[in-house]
Amino acid sequence: MAGKEGAEPLGTGRPRSPRVNSLFSEEEPSEERDGAPPAGDSSCGDTSPGTGGTAGTEGTGGTATVLAATIRAGWLDKNPPQGSYIYQRRWVMLDAEYLRYFDSERDTYSKRFIAVSSITRVATVGDQKFEVVTNNRHFVFRAESDAERNEWVQTLERAVEERRSKGPERTSMSPVTDGLGDAGDKSGCLELRGFKHKLFVAVAGDKVFLYKNAEEHRLGIGITPIAMNVANVKDLDRRGFDLTTPYRTFSFWAESEQEKEEWVGALRGAIAAALCTSEVAERIWATEPNRFCADCGCPRPDWASVNLCVVICHRCAGEHRGLGPGVTKVRSLTLDRKVWTEELIELFGRIGNAVANAFWAANVPPSEAIGPGSGSGDRRRFLVAKYREGKYRRYHPLFGHQEELDRALCAAVTTADLAETLALLFCGATVTCATGDPRYPTPLALAQKSGQRLQMEFLLLNRTSEPPRLEVGGSEAKPYSVPLPSVTHNGFLYKTPSMAKAVGERKGPEEFSRRWCTLQDGVLSYYESDRAAAPNGEIRAEEMVCLVTHPPHAHGLEHTFEVYTESERLYLFGLESPDGAREWVTSIAKAFVHPYAEELLALDFERVGRLRYKGGLNLEQGREGWFALAGPALHLRGPDGLRPDPLQLRKLQELSIQGDNEVLVLVERRRTLYIQGERKLDFLGWVQAIQKAAGSSGDTLSEQQLTESDVPLLVDRCVDYITQCGLTSEGIYRKSGQNSKTTSLLEMLRRDARSVRLKEGEHHVDDVANTLKRFFRDLGDGLFTGRWGQDWLRATALEDEEEKIGEYRRLLGTLPTVNRATLKALINHLFRVQLFSGENQMNTHNLAIVFGPTLFQTDGKDYKAGRVVEDLISHYVEIFNVNDQEMKKQQDEIMAIMKMREAASSGTQQAGDFICTVYLEEKKTETEQHVKIPATMTAEELTFEILDRRKVVMKEKDYWSCFEVNEREEAERPLHYSEKVLPILHGLGTESYLVVKKQMSMENMLIYLASRVGDCKHGMMKFREERNLLGLGLSTGFHDRYFILSHSCLRLYKEVRSHKPEKEWPVRNLKVYLGIKKKLRPPTCWGFTVCYENEKHEKQQWYLCCDTQADLREWFATFLHVQHGGALWPSDPPKARAPRWQQEPRAGTVSLIPLRGSESDMRSSVAAFATDPLTLLRNV
């Protein structure tokens, strides 16, 4: 058997047991000798989270987890259970950490595992046998020969000795043993379907371990581990839940519903940990000193303090958090992927544990140093002394001289000497001190000017850091460049217990407890009573990240407010007195808001706090700023005096969440703001509050979502749709739509008009028209307002037309801005409608009859209301002061509409044609062409249409094509020459357009396709999946994956040797765009964006990067070849092809207008305007 591991040995005639369940089963209650406790041992009781001994690694088959290298594997006979004389055949595997055995080499989950660290002795015990001895267990194995037995014994002895020499190192496969495990770690007893007795289950890191009982958990002898990187958790009934893997479903039951929730949360945390990446850790560990904890020396530390630039272990990270974010900002090397920018990783390479400890630990007495085995108390005392007090630091020669320290800092940041900058900052230099140069007022500006990007990164990380307490003068350094005002306040507050999640329901008065609270020296403390000596708890001002005020009676007390902290805790306070609550809110806000943002406190804010954001011209580097939400406006104050205009949330053009609920995108008036969610709890609160503020909040015009021109978005949507689809609809606004559809549409538009898209075929013109009328009829305070409405009606009595027009103009000036803009937009629309009265039968008088009572909200008996509307339409140009530019735009649009109507009535145009803008070579005003797109026009025909108009001669090897360009994704797609253009136009967003230009790579692609063999392509590419809003997706970076593209599908494999694809997509449903947006930081410039839409219209998007331009060209050519049956380019020469559509004169800059079918009286209506279509405009 030796040397042929895994091969079935020759038979020896010895009896062996039949194979049973791959997990430890009830048929094998105890395989060990010497009094092993039964499976139902009463010692299986709950233990504290994260405690316990060692555990096993993964099984042998099929998991995606990277395991320790196998030292030896093969078939052995296992000693029989008590009372049995039949040997059991087992597949045994040994690695550096565990000895495991399975029913077969194909099993995923082991029957038992033994931690190498728990093995005390390995010895021979007779012919072909050897025993593995732990603290109180003996495991006897039998090999096929003495020689093979001796090899196993020698291998095991070497593994045990090597493991002992490493000391108590924590491996990636072992659970945490120090009681400071991840927040998701948990252990205790659970019922498992298929077992009579409860099992002891331990969640540790990214693994779940099964044991027979708690005693075996302590000894490090278990049943099997379960890798969570391929697992999923499903919540079942009150006590049950399933842990599902591709190989087995584990059905567990907990003691109570509350305990079940804790288990489900812990398992989901393990899944998240399993999906993390070690790429950052490996890069930081590449520097030798970073391979050990900067504080205790524990090997392979996987946490870091990003502002101190030290790498620390899990236990020290827990104590670092207790120091507060003003001293140390703790992040994980594996979990907090978004934090680790290239600059930060490089900073850890330049500073790291070596340089940092040369400063912080220069004078540590051996008696005060800590080691990997030190307890929590010793760690806490050491870290407080090291970082908060600076007890062991190497003092800078300028220590105690503030002006000299600041001057030295300004000089240091212009050089590459990061050690000097670190020493100066943490000996008292002010990170935002004045430089004396108005062009570069701060050290950060000086570093930027000098091109010292690592200095900039270090300054940004420590802009709010608190230096150690200074001994000179007994003063304590503050975390701000300007001392915070000394805020003192005290009094009784009502408080609920702190929470780790948002308040989901109304809290009753009985849930609040009365506490004496004090705010002093930047600490909010709460006591049992005003006579209590020690506080129940406290919140430091530097730990506060957000303050929220609630509307009255949101909870059981009349006035309540919330405080969010850096550690993801929420504190809810309340008072009955409005004045008392206001004083507390003001005092707390002054205590934690940075002085540069103190003007935000003058606002009547609903929410104020600090968030990371990107905006302006610098989208590469996130910054921290202070935000205040006051009504529908979001105010921002950034470092270095940044004071942009507030974002008017109701005027947002886009409000969306990108990534895994990590980035909130706000687009308003050509500026974009990306708000990043560093902390989940307060960020979700900001998202919900901003979404609410960006929606309509009432029934008056000023409370609606607005366009940039202050017109309600609801009105703009309806007017635009009717202009596009209903100008020639007979009886428009006079005929009523379906009441149910009108009600439903109005509710959707009121809720969020920004997300509603009116489409022809889905919404009837009369329903939309009825929605617009009902909106104005139900409008609070009316369009003309209750104050001025009667004055508008009285103006109709004036007989002199000029005097009446003057009065209308005066009254127009008295209306609020939104009312005035809305009235102009509506009358502008009605002015257009009446120009088509020959077709729609709605002249000025008819429109006035309909809209008079609607706008003035009367019963229709007062004719004056109709007279006002009729006058406004008839004198639209004079009353609203329409200038020549606006009139020209109106004329161009009317001419285009009339021309298309005339063509439709004469039968020369097909119903459904569009007018669209197409550019030649690049998007410029002088290159745009307005083209009529029939339903059957192809991309080739559109290309020739544009080239013919601009008199461009197509040479023999000029591969002119039409491209779909997506500006937002920074990608483009050449349309296949046979593609229909009209369906593409229907799917274009506002950020996309069509352009005709040369396809430079076409010749090379044709040469490649002509020379290759076969229709398939395969190879490695870098892959990144765009996260959906709720799913996990992939990590934020690009990962190497193996792809195979065949004639039917595209398959993705984790690696070349993988047999089963991770993903598979049909090629016919893929759209491939050249280019990847820069903010994703693609590893090469040769990438493409792939979009997939399934039969349910669910969309996915991912990004692929090639190593060379030739690779990109070959992959793209293969995609096109497969999707279009090998026809990349027409085979006939260009001269033989000609556009089928006659060239039309340019119609001017017009909107995209779909045409409806011709009507019976259209020809006669159009004839009146055929001679001079602008007659009506001139008669106004």
Side-chain angles (χ1 to χ4, degrees):
M1 177 174 166
K4 295 183 180 180
E5 298 169 358
E8 191 68 33
L10 297 174
T12 61
R14 292 174 294 190
R16 295 186 175 94
S17 64
R19 293 189 182 146
V20 293
N21 180 11
S22 62
L23 289 178
F24 181 88
S25 63
E26 294 300 326
E27 287 80 359
E28 298 179 288
S30 178
E31 293 186 345
E32 296 77 25
R33 304 185 308 180
D34 301 341
D41 190 348
S42 60
S43 64
C44 186
D46 289 347
T47 64
S48 59
T51 62
T54 57
T57 59
E58 193 52 48
T60 60
T63 68
T65 305
V66 179
L67 304 177
T70 301
I71 299 173
R72 187 177 180 84
W75 288 102
L76 291 174
D77 293 331
K78 173 75 175 57
N79 69 309
Q82 295 176 358
S84 172
Y85 296 97
I86 302 176
Y87 275 86
Q88 297 158 340
R89 188 75 163 156
R90 296 288 180 257
W91 175 259
V92 183
M93 288 190 67
L94 172 68
D95 59 38
E97 300 295 334
Y98 301 99
L99 177 68
R100 297 163 289 152
Y101 55 89
F102 306 79
D103 270 338
S104 88
E105 72 272 29
R106 294 181 298 273
D107 287 344
T108 298
Y109 301 117
S110 61
K111 297 189 70 63
R112 301 290 268 159
F113 63 79
I114 308 164
V116 174
S117 61
S118 67
I119 298 175
T120 59
R121 183 169 57 90
V122 183
T124 60
V125 289
D127 293 343
Q128 304 169 2
K129 298 179 184 177
F130 66 93
E131 69 175 353
V132 177
V133 183
T134 66
N135 290 334
N136 64 346
R137 305 288 173 88
H138 291 240
F139 299 83
V140 178
F141 297 92
R142 185 172 65 188
E144 289 292 327
S145 66
D146 288 343
E148 184 186 1
R149 176 202 59 190
N150 293 338
E151 291 179 5
W152 272 102
V153 171
Q154 293 170 7
T155 305
L156 279 165
E157 287 177 340
R158 283 196 302 269
V160 171
E161 185 60 32
E162 290 176 4
R163 186 67 185 86
R164 287 174 182 167
S165 66
K166 293 181 179 179
E169 177 182 350
R170 178 187 171 192
T171 70
S172 61
M173 296 297 171
S174 60
V176 184
T177 61
D178 52 28
L180 288 171
D182 294 336
D185 289 1
K186 182 177 176 61
S187 60
C189 288
L190 289 172
E191 298 177 30
L192 176 61
R193 179 184 296 168
F195 289 80
K196 295 179 181 178
H197 304 284
K198 290 183 178 180
L199 296 182
F200 191 90
V201 183
V203 181
D206 60 353
K207 296 284 189 298
V208 173
F209 302 93
L210 303 184
Y211 302 86
K212 290 201 305 183
N213 48 53
E215 176 66 13
E216 289 199 347
H217 176 238
R218 185 182 66 81
L219 295 173
I221 303 172
I223 300 173
T224 188
I226 304 170
M228 300 300 282
N229 64 325
V230 293
N232 187 32
V233 182
K234 183 178 180 181
D235 199 344
L236 299 177
D237 55 17
R238 293 180 59 189
R239 297 191 301 117
F241 58 94
D242 281 352
L243 177 60
T244 305
T245 73
Y247 319 104
R248 174 169 177 168
T249 297
F250 300 85
S251 297
F252 292 104
W253 284 271
E255 287 290 340
S256 64
E257 187 173 0
Q258 179 180 356
E259 186 181 358
K260 181 202 73 171
E261 295 296 332
E262 294 175 0
W263 276 106
V264 170
L267 292 172
R268 286 174 176 162
I271 292 173
L275 295 176
C276 71
T277 176
S278 61
E279 179 185 352
V280 171
E282 295 295 342
R283 292 180 62 184
I284 288 180
W285 290 341
T287 304
E288 179 68 25
N290 292 345
R291 299 177 188 173
F292 301 89
C293 176
D295 299 325
C296 73
C298 182
R300 295 178 67 85
D302 53 0
W303 291 80
S305 170
V306 293
N307 64 310
L308 301 177
C309 291
V310 292
V311 189
I312 53 180
C313 67
H314 185 88
R315 294 193 65 183
C316 289
E319 300 304 332
H320 268 258
R321 288 195 184 94
L323 300 178
V327 176
T328 172
K329 299 176 176 63
V330 182
R331 297 291 184 269
S332 170
L333 299 184
T334 57
L335 300 178
D336 296 318
R337 296 184 293 268
K338 63 180 182 296
V339 172
W340 294 99
T341 61
E342 283 298 322
E343 289 80 4
L344 183 55
I345 294 174
E346 190 174 341
L347 193 62
F348 269 73
R350 293 279 300 278
I351 298 180
N353 291 355
V355 174
N357 272 342
F359 172 78
W360 290 107
N363 304 294
V364 179
S367 60
E368 297 184 22
I370 60 174
S374 299
S376 298
D378 292 337
R379 290 176 191 270
R380 188 176 303 113
R381 283 190 292 272
F382 176 76
L383 296 179
V384 167
K386 182 178 180 181
Y387 297 113
R388 177 171 285 174
E389 298 173 0
K391 181 178 179 180
Y392 314 122
R393 61 183 160 166
R394 174 177 54 82
Y395 285 93
H396 195 279
L398 299 177
F399 176 74
H401 304 280
Q402 189 64 49
E403 292 185 6
E404 287 81 356
L405 282 171
D406 291 345
R407 281 198 294 270
L409 176 64
C410 293
V413 297
T414 63
T415 71
D417 192 349
L418 291 164
E420 176 72 1
T421 302
L422 182 148
L424 288 165
L425 276 182
F426 292 109
C427 281
T430 306
V431 71
T432 55
C433 62
T435 64
D437 187 344
R439 296 174 300 169
Y440 310 103
T442 64
L444 180 63
L446 287 174
Q448 185 175 14
K449 171 203 172 188
S450 303
Q452 297 294 335
R453 57 188 183 86
L454 296 186
Q455 292 278 14
M456 293 172 60
E457 182 75 10
F458 189 68
L459 292 172
L460 288 168
L461 290 168
N462 286 284
R463 60 194 177 283
T464 58
S465 293
E466 176 182 354
R469 291 189 175 95
L470 301 178
E471 298 175 2
V472 177
S475 62
E476 180 178 341
K478 297 292 182 181
Y480 303 122
S481 59
V482 180
L484 283 171
S486 179
V487 181
T488 303
H489 197 69
N490 59 66
F492 281 103
L493 281 173
Y494 290 87
K495 176 185 176 295
T496 64
S498 67
M499 294 161 274
K501 59 182 181 180
V503 182
E505 56 186 17
R506 188 176 188 271
K507 297 288 185 181
E510 69 281 357
E511 298 182 70
F512 288 82
S513 301
R514 191 167 183 258
R515 295 287 183 263
W516 175 258
C517 298
T518 64
L519 178 62
Q520 189 171 5
D521 296 329
V523 180
L524 175 62
S525 305
Y526 46 93
Y527 300 77
E528 191 70 26
S529 69
D530 56 348
R531 294 184 296 275
N536 291 359
E538 61 182 31
I539 313 170
R540 295 176 62 86
E542 62 263 28
E543 296 176 1
M544 299 179 187
V545 295
C546 186
L547 175 64
V548 180
T549 62
H550 294 152
H553 304 291
H555 294 286
L557 298 175
E558 184 173 356
H559 299 279
T560 53
F561 60 90
E562 294 173 347
V563 176
Y564 293 78
T565 66
E566 185 86 38
S567 58
E568 302 269 5
R569 304 297 296 180
L570 183 156
Y571 298 81
L572 178 61
F573 298 92
L575 268 180
E576 292 292 350
S577 165
D579 293 336
R582 190 180 305 110
E583 290 176 4
W584 270 109
V585 168
T586 302
S587 299
I588 293 173
K590 287 181 178 179
F592 88 98
V593 174
H594 197 288
Y596 72 66
E598 61 184 356
E599 62 190 87
L600 297 178
L601 306 185
L603 303 171
D604 185 17
F605 61 83
E606 168 193 337
R607 181 180 292 260
V608 66
R610 55 185 166 93
L611 293 164
R612 287 191 70 80
Y613 72 97
K614 295 180 181 180
L617 298 177
N618 182 14
L619 295 180
E620 296 298 323
Q621 180 65 48
R623 296 183 289 177
E624 190 169 75
W626 291 85
F627 290 80
L629 180 61
L634 182 65
H635 301 259
L636 166 64
R637 293 295 178 267
D640 303 328
L642 180 65
R643 284 172 170 76
D645 293 335
L647 268 79
Q648 300 300 324
L649 298 178
R650 290 188 186 138
K651 291 187 177 182
L652 290 180
Q653 298 172 8
E654 179 186 342
L655 190 160
S656 61
I657 302 175
Q658 294 183 357
D660 188 15
N661 290 327
E662 293 175 346
V663 181
L664 178 64
V665 182
L666 307 176
V667 182
E668 181 242 10
R669 289 192 303 182
R670 299 178 183 175
R671 59 174 172 166
T672 303
L673 187 69
Y674 299 88
I675 300 177
Q676 299 173 288
E678 279 194 305
R679 300 165 301 272
K680 182 178 180 181
L681 186 60
D682 69 296
F683 178 69
L684 290 180
W686 277 103
V687 170
Q688 293 169 3
I690 289 173
Q691 286 175 333
K692 182 179 178 181
S696 300
S697 60
D699 60 356
T700 64
L701 282 175
S702 60
E703 295 173 309
Q704 308 301 310
Q705 292 174 317
L706 302 173
T707 66
E708 188 176 341
S709 56
D710 290 318
V711 177
L713 202 54
L714 184 153
V715 174
D716 183 74
R717 288 277 193 267
C718 293
V719 165
D720 183 65
Y721 179 79
I722 293 171
T723 301
Q724 298 277 335
C725 305
L727 285 180
T728 60
S729 177
E730 185 175 352
I732 183 70
Y733 290 117
R734 186 177 62 196
K735 294 192 298 185
S736 297
Q738 294 186 26
N739 186 60
S740 59
K741 292 184 177 180
T742 298
T743 302
S744 174
L745 181 57
L746 184 58
E747 288 178 359
M748 287 194 299
L749 289 166
R750 280 188 179 278
R751 190 182 309 116
D752 185 13
R754 192 180 295 109
S755 63
V756 177
R757 294 292 182 268
L758 300 175
K759 297 181 180 179
E760 189 174 12
E762 294 183 15
H763 303 91
H764 195 274
V765 169
D766 292 329
D767 295 331
V768 177
N770 210 35
T771 299
L772 183 63
K773 289 190 298 181
R774 186 176 298 183
F775 169 75
F776 282 113
R777 178 170 285 280
D778 299 341
L779 198 61
D781 200 36
L783 178 60
F784 293 97
T785 73
R787 177 181 178 184
W788 300 102
Q790 292 301 315
D791 289 359
W792 283 90
L793 296 176
R794 282 193 289 269
T796 60
L798 296 174
E799 296 182 358
D800 184 78
E801 285 296 312
E802 290 193 6
E803 184 181 356
K804 183 163 59 174
I805 291 173
E807 178 65 8
Y808 284 142
R809 295 182 65 174
R810 184 189 70 80
L811 292 172
L812 185 65
T814 63
L815 292 178
T817 301
V818 177
N819 294 57
R820 184 164 60 251
T822 305
L823 180 60
K824 180 178 180 180
L826 177 63
I827 299 302
N828 174 290
H829 171 62
L830 298 181
F831 178 77
R832 298 187 189 188
V833 172
Q834 59 89 28
L835 291 179
F836 291 86
S837 59
E839 300 174 30
N840 58 40
Q841 305 301 312
M842 295 298 292
N843 56 26
T844 303
H845 181 69
N846 290 341
L847 289 171
I849 292 175
V850 173
F851 274 93
T854 297
L855 300 183
F856 282 94
Q857 301 175 336
T858 64
D859 56 7
K861 296 180 179 180
D862 190 349
Y863 71 94
K864 295 177 184 177
R867 285 288 302 278
V868 173
V869 175
E870 189 171 358
D871 288 341
L872 291 176
I873 298 174
S874 300
H875 303 287
Y876 163 68
V877 175
E878 292 87 348
I879 294 175
F880 293 94
N881 195 25
V882 180
N883 58 37
D884 293 341
Q885 185 177 358
E886 289 182 87
M887 283 299 300
K888 179 65 168 59
K889 183 179 178 181
Q890 293 263 356
Q891 292 170 2
D892 288 344
E893 292 182 358
I894 292 171
M895 286 178 66
I897 295 171
M898 295 299 297
K899 189 168 188 176
M900 288 186 292
R901 293 290 89 195
E902 183 178 8
S905 65
S906 62
T908 60
Q909 176 166 332
Q910 302 175 27
D913 289 2
F914 276 79
I915 293 290
C916 80
T917 300
V918 182
Y919 298 92
L920 181 62
E921 295 192 301
E922 57 183 328
K923 187 180 179 181
K924 290 183 177 180
T925 304
E926 57 269 23
T927 66
E928 65 182 22
Q929 294 288 315
H930 303 286
V931 187
K932 180 174 60 181
I933 308 296
T936 57
M937 177 178 270
T938 64
E940 180 188 23
E941 292 163 346
L942 176 60
T943 301
F944 275 91
E945 174 83 6
I946 299 299
L947 296 179
D948 287 347
R949 288 191 180 194
R950 300 304 293 263
K951 295 182 174 56
V952 176
V953 178
M954 187 172 182
K955 299 179 182 178
E956 183 178 355
K957 289 193 176 182
D958 283 352
Y959 296 94
W960 287 91
S961 299
C962 183
F963 285 75
E964 173 193 344
V965 180
N966 189 317
E967 292 181 306
R968 180 174 178 179
E969 293 292 333
E970 301 175 31
E972 62 183 19
R973 179 177 74 93
L975 305 185
H976 189 258
Y977 67 87
S978 64
E979 276 191 78
K980 296 293 190 293
V981 179
L982 195 58
I984 296 170
L985 289 176
H986 282 294
L988 289 184
T990 56
E991 70 281 354
S992 299
Y993 61 90
L994 297 181
V995 61
V996 171
K997 60 182 180 178
K998 291 181 182 178
Q999 195 169 346
M1000 297 300 184
S1001 60
M1002 177 57 71
E1003 183 174 5
N1004 289 326
M1005 288 195 294
L1006 293 173
I1007 294 172
Y1008 163 73
L1009 292 173
S1011 62
R1012 72 181 190 137
V1013 178
D1015 292 336
C1016 297
K1017 181 169 177 60
H1018 57 87
M1020 299 294 295
M1021 286 190 285
K1022 298 187 185 325
F1023 171 78
R1024 170 172 176 160
E1025 186 174 13
E1026 183 173 88
R1027 291 180 172 187
N1028 54 41
L1029 295 185
L1030 299 178
L1032 289 173
L1034 288 182
S1035 62
T1036 54
F1038 283 80
H1039 301 265
D1040 287 327
R1041 291 292 185 268
Y1042 186 71
F1043 288 87
I1044 297 179
L1045 175 60
S1046 68
H1047 67 280
S1048 60
C1049 61
L1050 174 67
R1051 296 186 179 94
L1052 176 150
Y1053 298 82
K1054 185 173 183 180
E1055 54 187 12
V1056 177
R1057 294 171 295 177
S1058 301
H1059 299 291
K1060 183 179 180 181
E1062 290 185 343
K1063 296 178 183 292
E1064 184 174 333
W1065 305 277
V1067 176
R1068 67 178 183 275
N1069 291 355
L1070 300 181
K1071 279 189 175 182
V1072 185
Y1073 293 79
L1074 294 168
I1076 300 177
K1077 49 189 174 186
K1078 293 184 180 64
K1079 74 174 184 179
L1080 296 180
R1081 296 184 179 180
T1084 71
C1085 59
W1086 300 294
F1088 46 88
T1089 301
V1090 183
C1091 301
Y1092 169 67
E1093 182 174 355
N1094 60 19
E1095 289 75 9
K1096 298 180 180 179
H1097 301 292
E1098 297 170 339
K1099 295 183 180 181
Q1100 299 176 16
Q1101 187 165 301
W1102 62 93
Y1103 309 93
L1104 304 175
C1105 268
C1106 301
D1107 291 332
T1108 66
Q1109 186 178 12
D1111 285 343
L1112 173 66
R1113 195 161 49 228
E1114 291 173 6
W1115 275 105
F1116 192 65
T1118 308
F1119 268 113
L1120 297 179
H1121 177 83
V1122 170
Q1123 286 185 321
H1124 301 289
L1128 260 69
W1129 193 255
S1131 57
D1132 52 329
K1135 293 180 180 179
R1137 300 191 307 273
R1140 291 183 294 167
W1141 311 106
Q1142 295 300 316
Q1143 183 173 329
E1144 294 287 349
R1146 181 168 174 168
T1149 305
V1150 297
S1151 304
L1152 192 65
I1153 303 171
L1155 300 182
R1156 304 170 66 87
S1158 60
E1159 302 174 15
S1160 59
D1161 58 343
M1162 185 177 296
R1163 187 182 301 275
S1164 59
S1165 301
V1166 173
F1169 305 98
T1171 304
D1172 188 355
L1174 301 183
T1175 302
L1176 287 176
L1177 287 174
R1178 296 196 180 97
N1179 291 336
V1180 173

